[in-house]
């Protein structure tokens, strides 16, 4: 886990969108998604539920985001 990944998950939580978060962090969506996937693998949890209606924190994800 690194500082950039923490900033990314906070931005995703604020926007509920990978696309908007990537735009706000000046990243491509694939780069942001890859960073998120790497963090989820490292922690062994799913941080966000992804759907057509948006990207929302899981209960475990909320705990990490609150502490970020």
């Amino acid at each position: 886990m690194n500082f950039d990944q923490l900033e990314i998950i906070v931005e995703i939580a604020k926007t509920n969108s990978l696309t908007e978060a990537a735009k706000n962090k000046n990243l491509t969506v694939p780069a942001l998604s890859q960073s998120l996937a790497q963090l989820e693998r490292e922690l062994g949890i799913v941080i966000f539920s992804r759907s057509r209606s948006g990207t929302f924190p899981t209960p475990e994800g909320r705990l990490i985001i609150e502490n970020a």
Side-chain angles (χ1 to χ4, degrees), residues 19-65:
T19 303
E20 287 298 314
K23 186 186 306 182
N24 293 346
K25 300 305 286 176
N26 295 317
L27 296 169
T28 63
V29 174
L32 181 133
S33 184
Q34 183 178 30
S35 181
L36 174 59
Q38 179 183 7
L39 179 60
E40 289 177 326
R41 277 192 308 274
E42 185 179 320
L43 297 177
I45 63 167
V46 175
I47 299 172
F48 291 98
S49 296
R50 299 153 181 88
S51 71
R52 288 183 181 215
S53 61
T55 304
F56 303 97
T58 62
E60 297 87 359
R62 276 190 222 109
L63 291 173
I64 293 169
I65 294 162

